[in-house]
Amino acid sequence: MKFFKRPAFIVSTIVLVLALSGYFYFWRDEDSKPEYIVVERGNIIQEVSVTGKVNPLKSADLAFEKSGKIVSVFAQVGTFVYAGDILVREDSSELATQLLKAQADLAAKKVDLDKSQVVLVNYYLGIVDVLNDAHIKTDDAVRKQAGSMFTDAESDTPRLNFSSTNSQAITDSQNGRLALRTELSDWRQELSAIGVASSNDDLFTALIKSKTRLSTAGAFLANVADALEKATGITQSTLDSYKASITTARTNVNTALTNISDRNQNINSQKATTASEEAAIKSYEASIQNIEAQLAKTALRSPIAGVVTKQDAKIGEIASAGMVLVSVISATQFEVEANIPEIDIAKIKIGNPAKITLDAYGSDVVLEAKVTAIDPAETVIEGVSTYKTTLQFNKKDERIKSGMTGDVKILSSGRENVIVIPQRAVVSKNGDKIVRIIVNDEIKEVKVATGLRGSDGNIEITEGVSEGDKVIVFLKEQ
């Protein structure tokens, strides 16, 4: 008991109490001080991180459209093939025979068409002779055979040199003779302008116009014949001679008219024959194209350059229509598919750069890529709407294999030399975003406007704080 009453013990106890009191006082004060950072400018990067899977950029599963017997197999699993290479072939002997027959039929039909075209050309070329003959016969009928029955036949007032009780026939005959003077002259000029070098259309037009002129001449001769039937004032022998001449004239004109009509009919008929043979040739050509298309389908060709990953075809077996026999993937070109949650998809656009690390090689191997496609339709995965996003590697890399998985970081946006602070420094209050800053050892709340949220936990401040401000990041509540 005496020990506790010693002065030294009492002093030591007082010092210890004071020390503990001071320690707890200052510790409490220190613990209550806010944590803050001094605002600086920096760079901020907004990334979207997802997992993805490597797929070949191009792939093809090949099957025959029709069943058939396999006769040849040209590639096995692991074989490198080029676009267009034949991988498997079905029996095509029956189709080959059909093709030979169709080609022979086409050749024969082309010969028939050539003959028909020659005949048609000759029909057109013969128009000139037919028209010249028609003009000669008509000119002879009007000027020679009927000419002796007229006075001043080539004048403006031709007159019949006999009377007739059929006054209308007299008038029509004289008017007809006057009209034929001009008609025959114009006809001769038209015929002199055509020849074997004229187009088919020009020759055919001349043929039709000549037919009309022959009809005019025939009507004139018929009127003269009617006038002769009621003729007066001439001897019987003269009347008989006139009638014989008119009969000869009408026969010649009718012959010429028949020749033109026959030529017209022959041309139309031959044109129809030629058109029919041309249509038949098109039908044969279509048949050949159809057979060739079927023949092409008896060979499975690789649509891409790549490596065969599946080959189930065996010579002698019957391949079923639509059954996949061969699969090919591109050997060096790959893409990555990732499903982006709907909360992040708005941040991404085609062309965004990305960094990919494959699980097989770890985080030390970083591959660069870019977004090339975003599926507009959602894919629901475990109740969450996602959007399939495709990325392509920027460079060829032999280490990349189909089926590998890895982490994908898509740089959706970024800014340099902007005000950045930790995201935890921004709090919401009454619908506003605020930060607390220290001004002259006092804490003040200020409203801020934010920009990008960085993947590193920082956030861009566009309004409200300045470089050098002290922004509180942690404040212990009292």
Side-chain angles (χ1 to χ4, degrees), residues 315-356:
I315 295 176
E317 289 188 348
I318 302 299
S320 299
M323 182 178 70
V324 175
L325 294 177
V326 184
S327 296
V328 182
I329 65 170
S330 54
T332 57
Q333 293 180 302
F334 296 93
E335 62 186 14
V336 173
E337 286 187 0
N339 290 293
I340 309 296
E342 62 178 334
I343 193 172
D344 292 324
I345 195 62
K347 303 174 185 176
I348 297 173
K349 62 182 179 181
I350 293 176
N352 283 155
K355 295 184 182 297
I356 300 174

Side-chain angles (χ1 to χ4, degrees), residues 120-128 200 203-204 263 267 271:
L120 181 60
V121 168
N122 289 334
Y123 278 147
Y124 275 111
L125 293 178
I127 287 177
V128 176
N200 290 345
L203 291 172
F204 195 74
R263 184 56 54 121
I267 288 175
K271 285 171 67 176

Side-chain angles (χ1 to χ4, degrees), residues 10-11 35 77 79-80 103 140 194 217 259 270-271 292 311 323 355 383 412 415 417 439:
I10 296 173
V11 171
E35 294 181 19
V77 173
T79 302
F80 182 86
Q103 290 172 334
D140 177 80
I194 64 172
N259 291 340
Q270 197 62 27
K271 285 171 67 176
E292 289 175 338
Q311 204 291 93
M323 182 178 70
K355 295 184 182 297
S412 60
R415 293 196 178 97
N417 196 31
V439 180

Side-chain angles (χ1 to χ4, degrees), residues 175-213:
N175 291 336
R177 182 62 183 85
L178 177 62
L180 280 170
R181 183 185 69 174
T182 302
E183 195 81 20
L184 288 170
S185 177
D186 291 345
W187 192 3
R188 181 70 267 167
Q189 289 181 359
E190 289 178 4
L191 293 179
S192 64
I194 64 172
V196 293
S198 299
S199 69
N200 290 345
D201 288 341
D202 289 342
L203 291 172
F204 195 74
T205 298
L207 187 71
I208 300 304
K209 291 181 69 174
S210 295
K211 188 176 181 180
T212 302
R213 289 193 166 101

Side-chain angles (χ1 to χ4, degrees), residues 345-406:
I345 195 62
K347 303 174 185 176
I348 297 173
K349 62 182 179 181
I350 293 176
N352 283 155
K355 295 184 182 297
I356 300 174
T357 56
L358 299 175
D359 295 340
Y361 304 115
S363 60
D364 292 337
V365 178
V366 180
L367 303 169
E368 295 184 350
K370 65 178 178 181
V371 176
T372 56
I374 300 174
D375 198 330
E378 80 279 4
T379 300
V380 178
I381 299 177
E382 296 180 355
V384 178
S385 293
T386 64
Y387 295 83
K388 186 174 75 174
T389 302
T390 303
L391 303 94
Q392 287 185 12
F393 292 100
N394 293 348
K395 295 180 181 179
K396 174 182 174 182
D397 194 312
E398 298 294 339
R399 294 171 294 184
I400 302 172
K401 306 294 181 185
S402 178
M404 287 184 171
T405 57

